[in-house]
């Protein structure tokens, strides 16, 4: 991809974690208290069923169990752990705990994708974690053991889902909407019986709660995950993982705008550090040397389906000899 296309793809993919950053605000302000399982189920299952009804394309063959694994890692387990962390920790602290995700992706990518770990990647991870800490940690921020453990497990779950999604890809002939619908449906179906048995339903639901659930299901799941899986198919796993830092940035901005949370110059410096780390981790189009240009153009023609250029051979060196056949007489 060209540099402009890479930047556009990264920006569009970053919309998904930015939307997920609003989860902390919606959870605390719009949803019934103490219902992380219900919130997770209603976020995933309706959106997944809508996509399945639209596409009418179920998994086939090996993709039955692959869709189940990805649905649990990317949706079911991740949603529940995310909401659990949001209920037990301030939004910024939960985002800080989950900032280990790119580091996990870096290690898993080296093991499963044979990706090379570069010093710039490690530096970006350290810079991003420091920026998130500066951005979200406040003197009054409390740490809860359950919330911290849930956040760490959520980061591990999503990191594993990112790497496996990149490793397996998307089956031929399957649309992005169907691929997203598989995972949302699996995640919701896994959570549904656990929700009914372990948590139950709230005594009453307000229209405010309905609005919160609708936002999380349509915007936070259906739209956001379509954009996310599209980005995963086009970007390296680590680059996509770093885009998840749009989540704490969005959470901090929303807290400042709607929850009367402070935003100090030090926090702004942390935000700049996070953005810098994301930029460091994004892929760049490498410049070719003049000697590489002909080969690159030939490879491009082959990739596009056109024949490679015909090589031009130099004439033989030395004097040109005439054939032995005698010339016709006049």
């Amino acid at each position: 991809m060209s540099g402009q296309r890479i930047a556009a793809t990264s920006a569009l993919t970053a919309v998904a974690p930015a939307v997920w950053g609003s989860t902390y605000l919606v959870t605390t302000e719009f949803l019934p208290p103490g219902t992380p399982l219900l919130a997770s189920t209603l976020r995933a299952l309706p959106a997944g069923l809508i996509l399945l009804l639209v596409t009418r394309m179920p998994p086939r063959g090996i993709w039955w169990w692959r869709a189940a694994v990805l649905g649990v890692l990317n949706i079911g387990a991740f949603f529940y752990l995310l909401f659990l962390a949001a209920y037990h920790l301030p939004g910024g602290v939960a985002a800080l705990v989950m900032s280990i995700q790119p580091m996990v992706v870096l290690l898993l990518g080296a093991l499963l994708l044979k990706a090379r770990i570069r010093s710039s990647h490690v530096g970006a991870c350290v810079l991003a974690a420091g920026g998130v800490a500066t951005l979200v940690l406040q003197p009054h921020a409390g740490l809860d053991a359950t919330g911290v453990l849930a956040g760490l497990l959520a980061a591990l779950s999503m990191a594993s889902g990112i790497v496996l999604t990149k490793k397996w890809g998307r089956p031929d002939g399957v649309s992005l909407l169907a691929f997203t619908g598989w995972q949302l449906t699996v995640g919701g179906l896994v959570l549904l019986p656990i929700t009914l048995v372990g948590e139950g339903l709230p005594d009453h639901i307000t229209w405010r709660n309905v609005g919160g659930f609708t936002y999380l299901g349509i915007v936070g799941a259906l739209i956001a995950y379509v954009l996310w899986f599209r980005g995963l198919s086009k970007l390296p796993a680590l680059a996509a993982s770093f885009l998840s830092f749009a989540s704490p940035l969005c959470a901090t901005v929303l807290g400042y705008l709607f929850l009367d949370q402070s935003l100090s110059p030090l926090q702004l410096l942390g935000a700049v550090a996070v953005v810098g780390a994301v930029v460091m981790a994004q892929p760049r189009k490498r410049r070719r040397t003049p000697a590489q240009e002909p080969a690159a153009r030939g490879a491009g023609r082959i990739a596009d389906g056109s024949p490679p250029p015909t090589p031009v051979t130099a004439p033989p060196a030395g004097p040109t000899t005439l054939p032995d056949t005698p010339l016709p007489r006049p």
Side-chain angles (χ1 to χ4, degrees), residues 154-294:
L156 177 61
S157 178
M158 187 174 186
S160 302
I162 288 174
V163 174
L164 288 179
T165 300
K166 196 66 182 177
K167 180 178 177 63
W168 291 336
R170 179 161 33 107
D172 295 335
V174 173
S175 67
L176 179 62
L177 294 180
F179 187 67
T180 305
W182 295 352
Q183 298 183 56
L184 288 171
T185 302
V186 168
L189 290 176
V190 169
L191 288 169
L192 181 59
I194 304 174
T195 299
L196 297 177
V197 174
E199 189 176 87
L201 301 177
D203 296 332
H204 65 281
I205 295 289
T206 66
W207 284 110
R208 186 181 183 88
N209 301 149
V210 173
F213 286 129
T214 303
Y215 171 82
L216 291 178
I218 301 301
V219 180
L222 194 155
I223 296 176
Y225 267 95
V226 168
L227 295 177
W228 180 248
F229 289 129
R230 175 188 178 275
L232 279 184
S233 68
K234 298 177 179 295
L235 297 172
L238 184 64
S241 178
F242 266 91
L243 293 176
S244 65
F245 285 121
S247 183
L249 286 175
C250 181
T252 301
V253 172
L254 291 176
Y256 172 77
L257 293 176
F258 298 103
L259 301 179
D260 296 326
Q261 295 177 355
S262 62
L263 191 60
S264 65
L266 187 61
Q267 288 177 294
L268 294 176
L269 181 62
V272 172
V274 171
V275 173
V278 172
V279 173
M280 285 177 59
Q282 296 311 298
R284 292 171 176 81
K285 183 181 180 181
R286 295 181 179 179
R287 294 183 178 180
R288 300 188 183 100
T289 62
Q292 294 173 323
E293 284 296 334

Side-chain angles (χ1 to χ4, degrees), residues 12-328:
L12 188 60
T13 306
V15 172
V19 169
W20 298 334
S22 65
T23 299
Y24 308 113
L25 173 65
V26 174
T27 298
T28 56
E29 300 297 316
F30 290 87
L31 301 187
T35 56
L37 279 172
L38 178 64
S40 304
T41 305
L42 292 183
R43 181 181 179 183
L45 189 55
L49 292 177
I50 290 173
L51 290 177
L52 286 185
L53 289 174
V54 170
T55 60
R56 297 184 180 183
M57 188 178 295
R60 294 181 179 179
I62 195 175
W63 277 98
W64 278 106
W65 71 265
R66 284 186 176 181
V69 172
L70 294 178
V72 171
L73 292 176
N74 285 325
I75 310 297
F78 174 68
F79 275 15
Y80 171 63
L81 294 168
L82 174 65
F83 277 104
L84 189 61
Y87 274 114
H88 284 265
L89 295 173
V93 179
L96 175 62
V97 173
M98 293 186 60
S99 67
I100 69 164
Q101 176 193 303
M103 304 176 194
V104 179
V105 170
L106 189 64
L107 296 176
L108 291 178
L111 293 174
L112 300 179
L113 304 178
K114 307 303 179 183
R116 182 180 176 184
I117 298 179
R118 303 179 183 273
S119 57
S120 59
H121 295 159
V122 178
C125 288
V126 174
L127 180 62
V132 171
T134 305
L135 179 67
V136 302
L137 281 186
Q138 300 296 320
H140 60 276
L143 294 179
D144 176 88
T146 301
V148 170
L149 180 60
L152 293 175
L153 292 177
L156 177 61
S157 178
M158 187 174 186
S160 302
I162 288 174
V163 174
L164 288 179
T165 300
K166 196 66 182 177
K167 180 178 177 63
W168 291 336
R170 179 161 33 107
D172 295 335
V174 173
S175 67
L176 179 62
L177 294 180
F179 187 67
T180 305
W182 295 352
Q183 298 183 56
L184 288 171
T185 302
V186 168
L189 290 176
V190 169
L191 288 169
L192 181 59
I194 304 174
T195 299
L196 297 177
V197 174
E199 189 176 87
L201 301 177
D203 296 332
H204 65 281
I205 295 289
T206 66
W207 284 110
R208 186 181 183 88
N209 301 149
V210 173
F213 286 129
T214 303
Y215 171 82
L216 291 178
I218 301 301
V219 180
L222 194 155
I223 296 176
Y225 267 95
V226 168
L227 295 177
W228 180 248
F229 289 129
R230 175 188 178 275
L232 279 184
S233 68
K234 298 177 179 295
L235 297 172
L238 184 64
S241 178
F242 266 91
L243 293 176
S244 65
F245 285 121
S247 183
L249 286 175
C250 181
T252 301
V253 172
L254 291 176
Y256 172 77
L257 293 176
F258 298 103
L259 301 179
D260 296 326
Q261 295 177 355
S262 62
L263 191 60
S264 65
L266 187 61
Q267 288 177 294
L268 294 176
L269 181 62
V272 172
V274 171
V275 173
V278 172
V279 173
M280 285 177 59
Q282 296 311 298
R284 292 171 176 81
K285 183 181 180 181
R286 295 181 179 179
R287 294 183 178 180
R288 300 188 183 100
T289 62
Q292 294 173 323
E293 284 296 334
R297 287 195 296 268
R301 291 188 183 96
I302 295 172
D304 293 338
S306 56
T310 303
V312 179
T313 58
T320 303
T321 59
L322 297 176
D324 295 334
T325 306
L327 296 175

